[in-house]
Amino acid sequence: MSSIAPHTKAKALKPGSRRPAKELCSECGLCDTYYIHYVKEACAFLNQQIKELEEIAHGYSRNLDNEDDWYFGVHQEMMAAKKKEPIEGAQWTGIVSSIACKMLTDGLVEGVVCVQNTKEDRFQPMPIIAKNPEEVLAARVNKPTLSPNLSILEQIEQSGMKRLLVIGVGCQIQALRAVEKELGLEKLYVLGTPCVDNVTREGLQKFLDTTSKSPDTVVHYEFMQDFRVHFKHEDGSTELVPFFGLKTNQLKDVFAPSCMSCFDYVNSLADLVVGYMGAEFGWQWLVVRNDTGREMLELVQEQIDTKPVISKGDRKQAVQQSIPAYDQGVTLPMWAAKLMGVVIEKIGPKGLEYARFSIDSHFTRNYLYVKRNHPEKLDDHVPEYAKKIVSQYQLPEK
Ligand code: FAD
Ligand code: SF4
């Protein structure tokens, strides 16, 4: 006897209507589909359940006695890698796109959930299910804006696909894992990227307008390990702006409230994570979480060079100093910011220690944000590993 899944009777919310997570909504896309039926359990901002979902996705959750696990989550292996022949126009060397293309051409999956941009606006995300490498490659490079990747979930069920790869950031993947068993798939592969400080499209414009000398020609940007924002422009030139020179007072409320209350920087529930911040400048950083992640990585082994991750320096003082500086919206004069950037680059944290620096600075800032703006959520919403990380620092009382 066939039974109708209960979620198919639910109704997606209309675009622009208020979402169940209210101002904390990261527009992950779940509520644009009938899977909104599961929102109370699945939404990363209504029901933080990373530990439970780690057990389902990886077979066990991170070990709270192991400091590497607090920071990087469940993992079998970490490494630095880069493509021997980088993909032109990718965010870094294009490892994410290469894995997705290979999975399609080898027939491991029938579709890949990824994000292209609209014709009118290179930064406006347009989630799709890519069915060939050309469509995957057209989705390369970050859309540094909140993206409703899960808005395609109904299409998956309706298309009858059984084997799927989803590329996404932490909040999207948490909701995806929570509804995974309802999707009717035989195999789901999850390729994640780290994510932090994301913004709405309007927020992005404000960031570009206040930070870049030529906001209209920016093609992509990244907060790099050399403590500078690298803006790449249409003509191929690169503009460098030191972190310490950012107009923090004007940018304080530019980041989405969801990202100010996120503690899943490293995408804990993906099978394989591809970022950059745990590797030296110019390299990407890979975290293999489970056997599925290893299978995905092996597909492109011949296309990449790899080397072990390193860890150098001591981040703790810099993080402690960044806490009041951010709170007070301190902006250094440009000459001092450049000087500080040069000094920190020479003696500052490198490799995994740089990743810890970035995680510590964001988690302390976000902990204070949740404590001040949503105190009733603090205890349940902040995972145990994040509480351990934050407890290493002295935070202002209020
Ligand atoms: P490419 O081959 O260029 O592929 C990029 C993939 O990202 C595409 O498949 C596309 O579908 C997907 N994508 C693009 N925009 C989005 C989006 N908004 N939401 C979901 N998926 C998207 N790494 C770090 O180590 N530290 C960070 O602080 C960090 N911050 C990030 C912030 C954002 C908003 C994003 C999207 C990524 C961030 N990353 C971060 C990951 C990093 O910038 C690269 O995306 C990653 O290293 C992959 O590079 P690549 O060249 O292999 O990707
Ligand atoms: Fe819905 Fe996703 Fe927003 Fe939560 S974050 S309210 S699941 S769209």
Side-chain angles (χ1 to χ4, degrees):
M1 198 177 73
S2 75
S3 63
I4 299 172
H7 56 256
T8 54
K9 293 195 191 135
K11 265 221 159 78
L13 289 180
K14 292 206 177 76
S17 59
R18 199 154 165 82
R19 311 276 130 161
K22 303 193 179 96
E23 71 276 18
L24 290 185
C25 171
S26 70
E27 294 168 29
C28 77
L30 187 87
C31 296
D32 302 332
T33 71
Y34 50 51
Y35 291 95
I36 189 179
H37 181 75
Y38 303 105
V39 66
K40 274 196 197 148
E41 187 208 338
C43 175
F45 304 95
L46 295 175
N47 181 31
Q48 183 280 117
Q49 50 170 341
I50 292 174
K51 178 176 183 293
E52 292 74 11
L53 291 174
E54 278 178 339
E55 279 162 13
I56 296 171
H58 312 311
Y60 58 101
S61 80
R62 71 186 79 194
N63 176 1
L64 291 178
D65 295 328
N66 176 348
E67 201 181 308
D68 263 358
D69 275 26
W70 306 353
Y71 280 90
F72 310 121
V74 168
H75 58 279
Q76 295 182 350
E77 196 183 356
M78 290 194 267
M79 69 193 75
K82 61 179 171 190
K83 281 210 72 195
K84 291 176 183 157
E85 289 175 30
I87 296 181
E88 177 71 29
Q91 184 71 15
W92 279 76
T93 69
I95 294 180
V96 167
S97 298
S98 303
I99 292 173
C101 288
K102 187 83 167 101
M103 290 182 78
L104 278 171
T105 51
D106 282 8
L108 254 81
V109 293
E110 296 149 283
V112 175
V113 176
C114 53
V115 195
Q116 296 181 350
N117 56 280
T118 60
K119 276 204 187 73
E120 305 74 44
D121 181 354
R122 68 171 82 99
F123 290 128
Q124 186 69 49
M126 188 176 75
I128 59 146
I129 307 178
K131 301 207 182 65
N132 56 56
E134 292 71 37
E135 289 170 348
V136 170
L137 290 173
R140 73 195 187 284
V141 78
N142 291 357
K143 285 58 186 189
T145 44
L146 300 176
S147 173
N149 281 27
L150 301 187
S151 60
I152 46 62
L153 282 186
E154 285 183 25
Q155 290 174 40
I156 295 169
E157 197 165 21
Q158 286 152 8
S159 70
M161 272 182 197
K162 293 290 169 210
R163 303 179 67 83
L164 186 76
L165 168 67
V166 175
I167 300 171
V169 298
C171 54
Q172 300 158 357
I173 301 307
Q174 186 175 320
L176 175 75
R177 287 295 194 195
V179 300
E180 176 176 351
K181 58 184 183 309
E182 313 298 339
L183 299 175
L185 294 171
E186 275 162 20
K187 179 75 184 169
L188 172 69
Y189 292 86
V190 181
L191 178 48
T193 67
C195 182
V196 81
D197 289 350
N198 214 342
V199 286
T200 59
R201 184 63 187 84
E202 303 76 60
L204 174 65
Q205 204 54 47
K206 186 169 176 196
F207 171 70
L208 295 175
D209 290 346
T210 46
T211 313
S212 169
K213 286 196 182 116
S214 171
D216 295 337
T217 59
V218 173
V219 194
H220 77 77
Y221 70 86
E222 192 84 82
F223 285 72
M224 292 279 199
Q225 299 101 319
D226 61 357
F227 295 87
R228 288 184 282 210
V229 189
H230 290 218
F231 290 102
K232 187 137 186 238
H233 290 280
E234 273 166 355
D235 63 1
S237 64
T238 306
E239 177 188 357
L240 305 177
V241 180
F243 290 179
F244 306 102
L246 290 178
K247 301 189 178 92
T248 330
N249 49 351
Q250 292 177 47
L251 292 174
K252 258 193 129 176
D253 49 6
V254 84
F255 302 124
S258 53
C259 308
M260 294 292 289
S261 49
C262 169
F263 296 91
D264 192 23
Y265 195 168
V266 299
N267 212 324
S268 313
L269 302 169
D271 299 311
L272 173 67
V273 179
V274 180
Y276 65 90
M277 66 180 173
E280 289 156 280
F281 189 64
W283 290 76
Q284 292 189 256
W285 169 56
L286 271 51
V287 184
V288 181
R289 298 208 182 283
N290 57 32
D291 291 343
T292 302
R294 184 164 299 282
E295 183 190 347
M296 289 152 75
L297 177 58
E298 275 166 8
L299 292 171
V300 296
Q301 207 76 56
E302 285 172 7
Q303 299 179 33
I304 58 175
D305 290 322
T306 59
K307 64 176 189 174
V309 277
I310 60 144
S311 186
K312 272 195 207 146
D314 183 355
R315 73 204 180 271
K316 287 221 172 117
Q317 233 186 333
V319 174
Q320 186 64 61
Q321 281 163 4
S322 75
I323 298 170
Y326 181 84
D327 239 13
Q328 290 147 23
V330 175
T331 303
L332 293 179
M334 196 44 90
W335 66 267
K338 283 192 178 148
L339 186 67
M340 185 137 158
V342 171
V343 173
I344 290 225
E345 197 194 341
K346 287 238 159 57
I347 60 163
K350 298 246 164 20
L352 292 181
E353 187 67 0
Y354 176 85
R356 291 187 198 98
F357 163 80
S358 195
I359 293 170
D360 287 351
S361 327
H362 287 96
F363 279 17
T364 48
R365 181 197 71 183
N366 289 9
Y367 186 88
L368 282 171
Y369 179 86
V370 178
K371 188 174 166 193
R372 288 167 181 166
N373 296 283
H374 302 278
E376 74 294 347
K377 287 181 81 75
L378 193 67
D379 205 34
D380 289 341
H381 183 67
V382 184
E384 285 311 308
Y385 62 82
K387 288 181 184 147
K388 281 187 175 271
I389 289 172
V390 171
S391 71
Q392 301 172 108
Y393 297 97
Q394 274 185 308
L395 302 188
E397 281 298 317
K398 287 197 175 155

